[in-house]
Amino acid sequence: MNFDSERDNKGNILLVDDIPENLQLLSDLLLKLGYTVRSVTSGRMALKTIKVKRPDVILLDIKMPEMDGYQVCRAIKADEDLRHIPVIFISALDDVFDKVAAFESGGIDYITKPFQIEEVVVRLENQLTIQRQQQLLEKEINHRRQTEEVLYQSRALLASVLNSSLDGIAAMQAVRDPRTGDIEDFRCLVVNPVIAKVFERNREDLIGKLILKKFLSNLEPGLFDQFVQIVETGEPLERDFEYPSGMSYWYHFVAVKLGDGFSITIRDITARKQIELALQEANKRLEELANLDGLTQIPNRRCFNNILQSEWKRLAREQQPIALILFDIDAFKPYNDYYGHLSGDDCLVSIAQTAQKSVFRPADLVARYGGEEFVVLLPNTDLAGAIKVAANIQTAIHNLAIPHAACDVKNIVTVSLGIACMIPNLDIKPDTIVSYADRALYNAKQQGRDRYACHS
């Protein structure tokens, strides 16, 4: 085995696509970037290949003969040994329905063809980073559990474990008031070198001393009483705490009743905490990607649907109006045909960003609804307010003065807008206002485009 090549391997990727040209293109790109790549041309071959050698990530096409990508993904997720492998769909299908079906079948991400290799790599690395962090975290947790299990097996093993353990271990005895019997403090009976290091003291200076109450009062008020409850009730205590000591900041302890006192194990979890924070950040980024349109960088239809649902319920309770503007670019297909798809993408980005700048309240939402269609959600807004916003969007897009030689309305890019406003009712589906705005948009187009129309 070539160990250097194993270290250089950035991840094992399985490509599944029934078109060999697609496989070759993506495989060559990923191989140059240091990934190990295997390619298959059918879903059944993919399932056989996965069981022989499991990949770190699967890039899966949707439209394939015999088994489509959804069926393959469901088969993987149904297998207990394979379900943890992340599946990223990579497909030319760009409809929201296809994307929702991909996520419902168990996909973790979705990339639309034609793809940018930079986007593919970022999404791959996000999944590989999460996998590596989860593996490290699981390894750390398993190691902690194994150590604790050894500790609890027998008190007779305590003496041999103390000096060899990587965890801090101590045993405390309650010191009680002779008159009342209340616990006043705890005396250190046993302290291993790790505990001594945390206290920044020699073991000899700790054993036999009454130092816990003073230490805990500086660390966290009320924690001393919790240790008293361990002795009085027999209930164990387990938690994380923050305590700067050298290069370490976070520790985890488990304390259990031991005679008229308790034993405690302490572990430095600074590295684990850092992994958890990195994992949280990666998950946050994935959540942002799931709710953001990749091209225009404004919220996508999935995000819009979720917010419409929640706002509909809120405003139904408050009996306040909600307005919605649905608009699209006039003669966008001729624009694409005349100027090319790259210019079409630039046009979509400009329109999206301009519309987003035309709303000012934090609760207002501009989202890409699909293709060249956009939606503006305006909670607590009446029809007059919605008309004002629509007029602002129309004027702002006029001011962009994007040339459109193929348009029979004007020689610049324009938009048609449909406006609807209503007070929500829980007996009516939120999609109702979308259909109203869609009818108004249709009327605006019938009236000559480059205008707004309201649903009556």
Side-chain angles (χ1 to χ4, degrees):
M1 179 183 292
N2 188 330
F3 290 99
D4 290 335
S5 64
E6 286 291 322
R7 283 194 295 267
D8 294 339
N9 176 26
K10 297 173 69 175
N12 295 309
I13 314 300
L14 176 63
L15 306 180
V16 187
D17 195 320
D18 64 324
I19 301 176
E21 292 81 2
N22 292 346
L23 290 174
Q24 190 63 47
L25 172 63
L26 191 52
S27 178
D28 290 345
L29 292 170
L30 294 175
L31 284 170
K32 289 178 182 178
L33 293 172
Y35 296 91
T36 297
V37 182
R38 288 176 293 154
S39 304
V40 294
T41 56
S42 74
R44 298 192 186 280
M45 289 174 62
L47 294 175
K48 291 180 180 179
T49 302
I50 294 168
K51 292 181 178 180
V52 174
K53 185 176 181 181
R54 295 178 191 175
D56 297 318
V57 180
I58 301 170
L59 291 178
L60 178 61
D61 190 24
I62 292 177
K63 297 186 70 175
M64 295 185 295
E66 295 185 15
M67 287 184 75
D68 63 25
Y70 303 140
Q71 294 172 309
V72 175
C73 189
R74 283 192 288 268
I76 292 171
K77 298 305 172 181
D79 191 315
E80 191 65 29
D81 295 330
L82 306 177
R83 63 190 310 170
H84 68 280
I85 303 173
V87 176
I88 299 176
F89 283 95
I90 182 164
S91 173
L93 300 176
D94 194 30
D95 192 87
V96 172
F97 174 83
D98 299 307
K99 294 180 180 179
V100 170
F103 287 113
E104 286 179 346
S105 67
I108 198 71
D109 207 344
Y110 193 106
I111 301 172
T112 304
K113 296 177 183 177
F115 56 81
Q116 296 291 330
I117 188 61
E118 293 83 358
E119 179 188 8
V120 175
V121 171
V122 167
R123 293 178 185 252
L124 270 178
E125 282 301 318
N126 276 339
Q127 296 306 320
L128 291 171
T129 298
I130 290 171
Q131 277 196 325
R132 287 190 288 265
Q133 291 168 346
Q134 288 175 333
Q135 289 167 1
L136 287 172
L137 190 58
E138 289 171 2
K139 184 178 179 181
E140 174 69 17
I141 291 171
N142 289 335
H143 180 64
R144 185 185 76 191
R145 287 174 179 168
Q146 291 169 3
T147 303
E148 290 171 354
E149 286 171 2
V150 170
L151 176 64
Y152 297 139
Q153 281 178 1
S154 172
R155 295 180 187 176
L157 296 176
L158 180 60
S160 61
V161 170
L162 282 176
N163 293 327
S164 60
S165 174
L166 297 175
D167 297 333
I169 302 174
M172 301 286 178
Q173 182 183 40
V175 176
R176 298 179 179 271
D177 185 314
R179 295 167 298 171
T180 65
D182 295 336
I183 296 176
E184 296 181 327
D185 205 339
F186 290 93
R187 177 177 285 108
C188 296
L189 297 180
V190 178
V191 180
N192 79 337
V194 177
I195 290 277
K197 185 178 180 181
V198 172
F199 277 91
E200 299 179 346
R201 303 275 290 274
N202 294 324
R203 294 174 63 193
E204 293 74 16
D205 297 332
L206 297 175
I207 295 175
K209 302 296 193 299
L210 305 178
I211 62 168
L212 190 61
K213 188 172 186 178
K214 181 179 178 181
F215 173 75
L216 293 178
S217 64
N218 293 329
L219 180 64
E220 181 183 324
L223 192 55
F224 176 79
D225 293 334
Q226 294 181 43
F227 280 102
V228 170
Q229 288 302 307
I230 296 172
V231 181
E232 301 295 13
T233 66
E235 292 294 325
L237 179 63
E238 180 176 3
R239 57 176 293 187
D240 298 342
F241 67 95
E242 189 174 8
Y243 178 67
S245 176
M247 298 298 291
S248 300
Y249 294 89
W250 280 96
Y251 296 86
H252 178 86
F253 73 77
V254 179
V256 296
K257 181 178 174 62
L258 179 64
D260 192 29
F262 64 90
S263 65
I264 185 169
T265 61
I266 298 178
R267 166 160 290 190
D268 182 349
I269 59 166
T270 303
R272 192 190 85 191
K273 279 288 184 179
Q274 291 171 341
I275 293 172
E276 289 175 351
L277 292 172
L279 185 60
Q280 290 171 9
E281 185 62 29
N283 287 333
K284 180 181 177 183
R285 178 58 181 158
L286 286 175
E287 182 65 23
E288 290 173 351
L289 288 172
N291 287 288
L292 207 63
D293 178 60
L295 174 65
T296 62
Q297 294 300 295
I298 65 172
N300 58 19
R301 186 167 177 173
R302 175 175 181 258
C303 179
F304 160 75
N305 287 335
N306 290 338
I307 293 178
L308 174 61
Q309 293 282 343
S310 62
E311 287 295 293
W312 189 268
K313 293 176 183 177
R314 179 179 70 84
L315 294 171
R317 290 193 302 269
E318 299 174 3
Q319 283 297 283
Q320 293 295 313
I322 186 170
L324 189 140
I325 303 170
L326 197 63
F327 71 92
D328 67 8
I329 302 171
D330 295 325
F332 185 68
K333 185 179 184 305
Y335 184 95
N336 257 343
D337 294 340
Y338 188 86
Y339 293 100
H341 289 286
L342 290 179
S343 294
D345 286 350
D346 291 340
C347 178
L348 288 171
V349 171
S350 296
I351 296 298
Q353 297 299 324
T354 300
Q356 193 169 51
K357 292 175 183 176
S358 300
V359 298
F360 305 102
R361 298 182 309 171
D364 297 340
L365 175 76
V366 177
R368 187 178 181 189
Y369 198 68
E372 71 272 21
E373 201 166 25
F374 299 87
V375 63
V376 184
L377 185 65
L378 303 169
N380 298 95
T381 303
D382 57 17
L383 184 60
I387 290 174
K388 185 176 180 180
V389 173
N392 288 342
I393 292 173
Q394 186 181 29
T395 300
I397 292 172
H398 279 171
N399 292 338
L400 290 175
I402 301 173
H404 193 345
C407 182
D408 56 1
V409 181
K410 285 186 177 179
N411 60 358
I412 61 172
V413 169
T414 60
V415 294
S416 298
L417 308 96
I419 306 169
C421 180
M422 60 190 298
I423 294 177
N425 186 323
L426 293 180
D427 295 329
I428 301 174
K429 292 182 178 181
D431 292 345
T432 303
I433 194 172
V434 179
S435 65
Y436 288 168
D438 190 49
R439 292 179 198 172
L441 173 59
Y442 176 80
N443 291 335
K445 289 181 176 291
Q446 290 296 104
Q447 295 167 16
R449 303 179 182 177
D450 187 26
R451 67 193 66 221
Y452 60 79
C454 300
H455 179 266
S456 58

